[in-house]
Tab-separated table of all heavy atoms in Angstrom:
chain	number	residue	atom	x	y	z
A	1076	TYR	N	-1.142	1.897	-9.617
A	1076	TYR	CA	-0.750	0.625	-10.163
A	1076	TYR	C	-1.978	-0.402	-10.400
A	1076	TYR	O	-1.894	-1.200	-11.224
A	1076	TYR	CB	0.345	-0.097	-9.431
A	1076	TYR	CG	1.678	0.631	-9.518
A	1076	TYR	CD1	2.067	1.516	-8.491
A	1076	TYR	CD2	2.540	0.583	-10.599
A	1076	TYR	CE1	3.142	2.250	-8.703
A	1076	TYR	CE2	3.677	1.184	-10.738
A	1076	TYR	CZ	4.072	2.146	-9.690
A	1076	TYR	OH	5.054	2.750	-9.783
A	1152	LEU	N	16.247	2.774	-1.129
A	1152	LEU	CA	16.686	3.642	-2.065
A	1152	LEU	C	17.501	4.696	-1.488
A	1152	LEU	O	17.016	5.437	-0.508
A	1152	LEU	CB	15.423	4.269	-2.937
A	1152	LEU	CG	15.534	4.923	-4.136
A	1152	LEU	CD1	16.082	3.910	-5.265
A	1152	LEU	CD2	14.240	5.532	-4.739
A	1155	ARG	N	23.152	8.182	-4.749
A	1155	ARG	CA	24.483	7.653	-5.051
A	1155	ARG	C	25.691	8.349	-4.352
A	1155	ARG	O	26.602	7.667	-4.165
A	1155	ARG	CB	24.728	7.596	-6.516
A	1155	ARG	CG	23.790	6.755	-7.366
A	1155	ARG	CD	24.160	6.771	-8.957
A	1155	ARG	NE	23.348	5.820	-9.553
A	1155	ARG	CZ	23.663	4.491	-9.715
A	1155	ARG	NH1	24.735	4.028	-9.079
A	1155	ARG	NH2	22.784	3.688	-10.421
A	1167	ARG	N	24.401	-4.594	-3.341
A	1167	ARG	CA	23.743	-5.154	-4.495
A	1167	ARG	C	24.317	-6.389	-5.212
A	1167	ARG	O	23.695	-7.267	-5.643
A	1167	ARG	CB	23.527	-4.046	-5.570
A	1167	ARG	CG	22.473	-2.977	-5.339
A	1167	ARG	CD	22.061	-2.303	-6.514
A	1167	ARG	NE	21.456	-2.979	-7.516
A	1167	ARG	CZ	21.012	-2.580	-8.557
A	1167	ARG	NH1	20.925	-1.195	-8.729
A	1167	ARG	NH2	20.337	-3.279	-9.567
A	1217	LYS	N	11.045	9.285	-2.427
A	1217	LYS	CA	12.085	9.225	-3.248
A	1217	LYS	C	12.777	10.569	-3.444
A	1217	LYS	O	14.031	10.585	-3.496
A	1217	LYS	CB	11.420	8.671	-4.662
A	1217	LYS	CG	10.993	7.385	-4.725
A	1217	LYS	CD	10.862	6.857	-6.059
A	1217	LYS	CE	9.830	7.531	-6.859
A	1217	LYS	NZ	9.552	6.994	-8.282
A	1221	ARG	N	16.722	11.284	-2.777
A	1221	ARG	CA	17.529	11.847	-3.797
A	1221	ARG	C	18.365	12.948	-3.366
A	1221	ARG	O	19.478	13.111	-3.761
A	1221	ARG	CB	16.493	12.411	-4.991
A	1221	ARG	CG	17.180	12.470	-6.233
A	1221	ARG	CD	16.318	13.180	-7.294
A	1221	ARG	NE	14.969	12.467	-7.413
A	1221	ARG	CZ	14.758	11.510	-8.098
A	1221	ARG	NH1	15.821	10.802	-8.779
A	1221	ARG	NH2	13.571	10.807	-8.056
A	1231	LEU	N	9.157	-1.718	-4.809
A	1231	LEU	CA	10.114	-1.850	-5.838
A	1231	LEU	C	9.443	-1.257	-7.245
A	1231	LEU	O	10.193	-0.658	-8.095
A	1231	LEU	CB	10.499	-3.252	-6.154
A	1231	LEU	CG	11.518	-3.520	-7.212
A	1231	LEU	CD1	12.837	-2.787	-6.872
A	1231	LEU	CD2	11.743	-5.142	-7.222
A	1232	ALA	N	8.160	-1.482	-7.387
A	1232	ALA	CA	7.463	-1.135	-8.639
A	1232	ALA	C	7.483	0.419	-8.873
A	1232	ALA	O	7.390	0.987	-9.986
A	1232	ALA	CB	6.108	-1.496	-8.745
A	1233	THR	N	7.707	1.205	-7.711
A	1233	THR	CA	7.756	2.644	-7.894
A	1233	THR	C	9.096	3.172	-8.361
A	1233	THR	O	9.208	4.440	-8.675
A	1233	THR	CB	7.366	3.375	-6.507
A	1233	THR	OG1	8.429	3.053	-5.594
A	1233	THR	CG2	6.100	2.951	-5.971
A	1234	VAL	N	10.126	2.396	-8.375
A	1234	VAL	CA	11.488	2.898	-8.795
A	1234	VAL	C	11.605	2.817	-10.309
A	1234	VAL	O	11.479	1.759	-10.971
A	1234	VAL	CB	12.585	2.067	-8.148
A	1234	VAL	CG1	13.968	2.636	-8.463
A	1234	VAL	CG2	12.335	2.040	-6.600
A	1235	SER	N	11.861	4.094	-10.866
A	1235	SER	CA	11.913	4.024	-12.314
A	1235	SER	C	13.473	4.144	-12.855
A	1235	SER	O	14.453	4.296	-12.029
A	1235	SER	CB	11.245	5.382	-12.886
A	1235	SER	OG	12.084	6.533	-12.445
A	1236	ASP	N	13.668	3.914	-14.209
A	1236	ASP	CA	15.056	4.047	-14.695
A	1236	ASP	C	15.608	5.393	-14.399
A	1236	ASP	O	16.843	5.516	-14.185
A	1236	ASP	CB	14.936	3.777	-16.276
A	1236	ASP	CG	14.642	2.351	-16.596
A	1236	ASP	OD1	14.878	1.449	-15.645
A	1236	ASP	OD2	14.121	2.066	-17.681
A	1237	ALA	N	14.716	6.534	-14.405
A	1237	ALA	CA	15.222	7.864	-14.094
A	1237	ALA	C	15.710	7.966	-12.835
A	1237	ALA	O	16.702	8.602	-12.484
A	1237	ALA	CB	14.042	8.812	-14.467
A	1238	ASP	N	14.929	7.271	-11.807
A	1238	ASP	CA	15.390	7.276	-10.478
A	1238	ASP	C	16.774	6.641	-10.228
A	1238	ASP	O	17.686	7.092	-9.444
A	1238	ASP	CB	14.452	6.508	-9.452
A	1238	ASP	CG	13.088	7.160	-9.417
A	1238	ASP	OD1	13.026	8.343	-9.428
A	1238	ASP	OD2	12.099	6.447	-9.251
A	1239	ARG	N	17.087	5.635	-11.026
A	1239	ARG	CA	18.383	4.872	-10.863
A	1239	ARG	C	19.583	5.619	-11.332
A	1239	ARG	O	20.660	5.324	-11.153
A	1239	ARG	CB	18.157	3.452	-11.537
A	1239	ARG	CG	17.235	2.530	-10.822
A	1239	ARG	CD	17.113	1.166	-11.467
A	1239	ARG	NE	16.398	0.246	-10.679
A	1239	ARG	CZ	15.204	-0.143	-11.023
A	1239	ARG	NH1	14.609	0.338	-12.124
A	1239	ARG	NH2	14.535	-0.965	-10.226
A	1240	LYS	N	19.349	6.834	-12.073
A	1240	LYS	CA	20.403	7.653	-12.590
A	1240	LYS	C	21.115	8.258	-11.442
A	1240	LYS	O	22.301	8.558	-11.425
A	1240	LYS	CB	20.049	8.549	-13.641
A	1240	LYS	CG	19.508	7.798	-14.967
A	1240	LYS	CD	19.153	8.840	-16.045
A	1240	LYS	CE	18.637	8.165	-17.271
A	1240	LYS	NZ	18.100	9.107	-18.275
A	1241	SER	N	20.300	8.622	-10.418
A	1241	SER	CA	20.819	9.488	-9.239
A	1241	SER	C	20.888	8.616	-8.052
A	1241	SER	O	21.389	9.176	-7.013
A	1241	SER	CB	19.966	10.715	-9.038
A	1241	SER	OG	18.574	10.484	-8.838
A	1242	MET	N	20.211	7.602	-7.974
A	1242	MET	CA	19.946	6.740	-6.750
A	1242	MET	C	20.344	5.252	-6.898
A	1242	MET	O	20.300	4.788	-8.044
A	1242	MET	CB	18.556	6.966	-6.226
A	1242	MET	CG	18.245	8.344	-5.734
A	1242	MET	SD	16.589	8.491	-4.935
A	1242	MET	CE	15.606	8.406	-6.365
A	1243	VAL	N	20.594	4.603	-5.839
A	1243	VAL	CA	20.872	3.144	-5.885
A	1243	VAL	C	19.746	2.435	-5.134
A	1243	VAL	O	19.278	2.927	-4.043
A	1243	VAL	CB	22.109	2.736	-5.105
A	1243	VAL	CG1	22.475	1.326	-5.244
A	1243	VAL	CG2	23.282	3.665	-5.704
A	1244	ASP	N	19.113	1.436	-5.699
A	1244	ASP	CA	18.188	0.777	-5.133
A	1244	ASP	C	18.574	-0.681	-4.894
A	1244	ASP	O	19.351	-1.272	-5.631
A	1244	ASP	CB	16.847	0.750	-5.950
A	1244	ASP	CG	16.954	-0.115	-7.217
A	1244	ASP	OD1	17.719	0.371	-8.203
A	1244	ASP	OD2	16.396	-1.255	-7.341
Side-chain angles (χ1 to χ4, degrees):
Y1076 293 93
L1152 192 66
R1155 289 185 177 275
R1167 282 197 65 170
K1217 291 194 295 181
R1221 199 185 310 275
L1231 184 60
T1233 66
V1234 182
S1235 67
D1236 290 339
D1238 292 327
R1239 293 187 172 101
K1240 292 180 180 179
S1241 59
M1242 294 183 284
V1243 183
D1244 67 288

